[in-house]
Amino acid sequence: MKKNRRIRQGNSPIILAGAALLAGVWLAGAQTDGETLVIQREVDPTKVIPVSVSGFTGEVDQALKFDLEVLGFEIVAPDKALYLVTGNQQGQLTGFLQKAKTKGNLLAKSYTGTSPRYQAHAFADDIITLLREVRGVALTRVAFKNDQGQAKEIWVSDYDGHNAQAVTRDGSIAAAPCWVPGQRVLYYNSYKEGFPAIYAHDLNSGTRRPLARHAGSNISPAAGPGGRLAMILSKGGSPNVYVADADGGNLRQLTKSREGDSSPCWSPDGQTVCFSSRREGAKALYLAPAAGGETRRLRTVGVANATEPDWSPDGKWIIFTTQYGNNFELCVVPAEGGEAVRLTPGEDPSWAPNSRTVIFARRAANGRRVLSLLDVPTKRVKDCAPISGSVSQPSWAR
């Protein structure tokens, strides 16, 4: 009786150290009937992996190539590839992954699903998990703010910009969406009642409820573990960081500054809130214990004017925006602080669940903002599918 093929993988994380991503040799293997096909990564995580893709057409071919390129692969001719991605699409997608030199199958699988695009995404995620040893993100969703004329509404789409649809239709200003971890719930702030309040919006039922409607501004909601809420309130006179339970209760003020705190985010363990403030002059990042206590500055050596932080789901890195005049740039720093690494022009960064990929807003030549995807180790950037309007403030569902 023929035995089922099993995949054996190693455990080789992406490593950031100071201003550089460290190189390393990645090993994995495919265990067959007494035969081991060894995949030796001939490039470090900062380098692209050349692959060829053949046998697919139309939407499937485009989606598969896009997904791979987002995770640091380069589509090349078969004679220049390290790996060959082949298959066909006849009602269902059948895909194969081979090492170019040996032609041995490392992956052979058929995919069914709601659409050819879904099947292509699922195949790409399997390839990425095997060769990059990180989660694929092709089947994830993002939320963002979409400016169309005077109205600014919250939208959601697939991670690549496809299947975009409006969540709010308030005809006013809605902004700063963020996903509650593990739920189909968004927090955002809206002026639908004439003043900025924070709402929780259940995407399954379409219902929403207010979480913060205090005097002054209620803005910049950030969802932590269990739906805990960090936000900026000016109820005390100046914008400061507050935290609350998922229902908006048990409100606690974390900071007391007159210099305008902004853009909080949570550590994955829910113990710390990172935010931006001008309390020492130029904008800088600070860390505050979520239970209350002393706030300390996060060192971002080599860059200044830091704002819009987002903490990676693995807890290791904080990505943020730095501004020089009218120019914005994404940078990343270890969560404990240190030397910052400059990545690419852009703003509003949000980590993917795999702690490798980032979605952000890029200013196009016509002045509109578009969504783009960044592979942090290789610094490669790809624009998402075009969306009508000017889009910004993306948040990745985790």
Side-chain angles (χ1 to χ4, degrees):
M1 182 175 69
K2 187 175 180 179
K3 298 180 181 178
N4 291 328
R5 176 164 296 187
R6 295 180 299 161
I7 300 297
R8 189 180 73 239
Q9 290 183 248
N11 183 21
S12 302
I14 301 167
I15 301 174
L16 277 162
L21 290 156
L22 298 183
V25 177
W26 291 12
L27 298 174
Q31 187 76 39
T32 64
D33 298 349
E35 177 188 12
T36 299
L37 300 174
V38 177
I39 313 168
Q40 181 169 349
R41 274 67 175 188
E42 300 171 25
V43 295
D44 68 68
T46 68
K47 300 294 180 63
V48 299
I49 297 177
V51 299
S52 71
V53 177
S54 60
F56 307 101
T57 60
E59 183 180 38
V60 168
D61 183 67
Q62 294 172 7
L64 182 57
K65 289 177 179 177
F66 183 93
D67 295 343
L68 294 175
E69 289 176 328
V70 166
L71 268 292
F73 290 79
E74 183 177 8
I75 310 303
V76 298
D79 62 341
K80 297 184 182 301
L82 287 179
Y83 299 96
L84 307 177
V85 177
T86 61
N88 59 74
Q89 52 194 94
Q90 298 175 350
Q92 64 180 17
L93 185 154
T94 301
F96 303 90
L97 173 67
Q98 298 176 323
K99 192 167 183 179
K101 289 183 179 180
T102 64
K103 302 299 191 297
N105 280 340
L106 305 174
L107 177 65
K109 188 174 179 180
S110 293
Y111 299 84
T112 59
T114 56
S115 68
R117 174 173 289 278
Y118 176 95
Q119 296 168 22
H121 286 331
F123 182 32
D125 277 355
D126 281 348
I127 296 170
I128 289 160
T129 299
L130 180 62
L131 297 184
R132 282 294 192 195
E133 294 187 318
V134 298
R135 286 180 57 186
V137 295
L139 294 174
T140 58
R141 302 276 281 170
V142 295
F144 51 91
K145 178 169 73 80
N146 191 348
D147 297 5
Q148 294 188 320
Q150 296 298 315
K152 305 177 190 302
E153 307 286 3
I154 304 302
W155 285 48
V156 296
S157 74
D158 296 344
Y159 96 106
D160 56 6
H162 286 270
N163 298 317
Q165 54 187 322
V167 172
T168 66
R169 295 178 176 84
D170 296 337
S172 60
I173 298 175
C178 67
W179 294 85
V180 176
Q183 301 182 35
R184 281 180 49 81
V185 174
L186 291 174
Y187 293 166
Y188 55 83
N189 58 261
S190 174
Y191 286 74
K192 75 184 190 72
E193 296 183 74
F195 61 92
I198 293 173
Y199 297 86
H201 195 128
D202 188 316
L203 297 182
N204 289 325
S205 65
T207 60
R208 58 179 164 180
R209 56 188 172 85
L211 295 179
R213 302 171 69 189
H214 304 284
S217 294
N218 305 263
I219 60 173
S220 300
R228 293 184 67 197
L229 174 64
M231 59 197 146
I232 301 296
L233 305 179
S234 62
K235 61 193 294 292
S238 298
N240 278 282
V241 181
Y242 290 73
V243 294
D245 293 341
D247 62 359
N250 194 24
L251 185 67
R252 179 185 298 112
Q253 184 174 355
L254 291 191
T255 66
K256 295 180 180 180
S257 170
R258 296 180 179 275
E259 302 306 323
D261 300 339
S262 63
S263 52
C265 70
W266 289 87
S267 62
D269 62 8
Q271 299 299 307
T272 308
V273 175
C274 180
F275 63 97
S276 178
S277 180
R278 295 182 180 273
R279 59 187 61 196
E280 297 179 42
K283 289 182 180 178
L285 301 183
Y286 294 84
L287 301 175
E294 183 178 355
T295 296
R296 68 177 179 88
R297 183 169 177 172
L298 181 72
R299 295 170 59 246
T300 56
V301 179
V303 300
N305 296 315
T307 187
E308 298 173 348
D310 191 46
W311 213 308
S312 63
D314 64 9
K316 296 179 180 179
W317 318 108
I318 293 176
I319 195 165
F320 61 95
T321 302
T322 183
Q323 181 179 0
Y324 296 95
N326 294 323
N327 299 317
F328 298 86
E329 187 174 25
L330 303 188
C331 302
V332 69
V333 68
E336 66 274 14
E339 188 172 356
V341 180
R342 296 176 181 273
L343 298 172
T344 190
E347 54 195 303
D348 303 336
S350 176
W351 285 102
N354 63 12
S355 297
R356 174 179 176 123
T357 318
V358 167
I359 191 166
F360 66 99
R362 182 181 65 80
R363 300 193 181 207
N366 58 8
R368 293 174 56 252
R369 290 179 175 86
V370 298
L371 297 184
S372 294
L373 296 159
L374 166 69
D375 182 51
V376 172
T378 64
K379 299 185 180 180
R380 289 164 65 92
V381 172
K382 285 189 69 67
D383 286 346
C384 296
I387 298 170
S388 62
S390 181
V391 293
S392 60
Q393 298 180 345
S395 174
W396 212 314
R398 300 172 187 164

